Amino acid sequence: MADEQDLYERIWYGVRDGRVDLGADLKILNKPGSPVFSRSDNLLPWVALLALIVVGWRLGGWIGAAAAAASMLILIATTINLAVMARLRKKAIAYALSGRTGFETLWNAGALSMRLRGDAASEIRGPDEDWRPFASQRLPRTKAEKEG
């Protein structure tokens, strides 16, 4: 049987070639202690809200402050939060594909799931399920494995 590095490489190539979809649990990833958590990504929208309230107050009194607060809260709830979560997901996938250590860190935290593209029944989630049998049984051997 292939060693863990070879199995990880099967996953890496599977994601690269579009055979495997990696999923990320954003609730787990968006907490302090997560290797991809960014405090600034989460705080900047709220700092901008406070700054706009101050500007609204200075320009239009309490009506300007209320209008700035309402519009910024709507923007945070709809657009900004989605952008922050999309960025977090990209960082998590990049971290998982940066090496086996990063992948196993996120997998053991329960922050990753994986499935064959187009086959929802093949989905497995960390840490309860083992990714090694998935890689060894469902993904083709890499060129290095075939040559070695």
Side-chain angles (χ1 to χ4, degrees):
M1 183 173 159
D3 68 357
E4 287 187 1
Q5 182 61 35
D6 289 334
L7 295 177
Y8 168 76
E9 288 175 11
R10 289 184 191 186
I11 293 170
W12 190 93
Y13 283 114
V15 171
R16 184 197 71 178
D17 297 340
R19 288 189 306 266
V20 175
D21 289 327
L22 275 183
D25 187 338
L26 299 177
K27 288 182 181 180
I28 293 172
L29 292 169
N30 199 27
K31 292 182 180 175
S34 167
V36 294
F37 175 74
S38 173
R39 193 172 312 280
S40 63
D41 282 353
N42 287 286
L43 287 178
L44 282 176
W46 300 104
V47 171
L49 170 68
L50 292 175
L52 286 174
I53 289 173
V54 170
V55 169
W57 183 270
R58 300 284 293 160
L59 293 176
W62 69 270
I63 294 175
S71 61
M72 188 62 182
L73 285 172
I74 291 170
L75 191 62
I76 287 172
T78 57
T79 307
I80 294 174
N81 193 38
L82 293 175
V84 168
M85 292 301 119
R87 180 179 161 106
L88 178 65
R89 184 183 187 291
K90 284 181 184 177
K91 287 190 324 188
I93 300 302
Y95 187 80
L97 296 178
S98 68
R100 187 171 58 100
T101 304
F103 179 84
E104 286 184 337
T105 300
L106 294 181
W107 188 266
N108 292 334
L112 288 181
S113 65
M114 166 171 54
R115 68 179 181 159
L116 295 174
R117 179 158 289 168
D119 184 8
S122 68
E123 183 171 16
I124 61 170
R125 296 183 175 274
D128 298 331
E129 298 176 83
D130 192 5
W131 59 272
R132 292 163 196 86
F134 178 91
S136 66
Q137 296 166 7
R138 297 183 177 205
L139 297 175
R141 293 173 41 197
T142 64
K143 185 177 180 180
E145 284 180 282
K146 290 176 185 175
E147 292 173 358

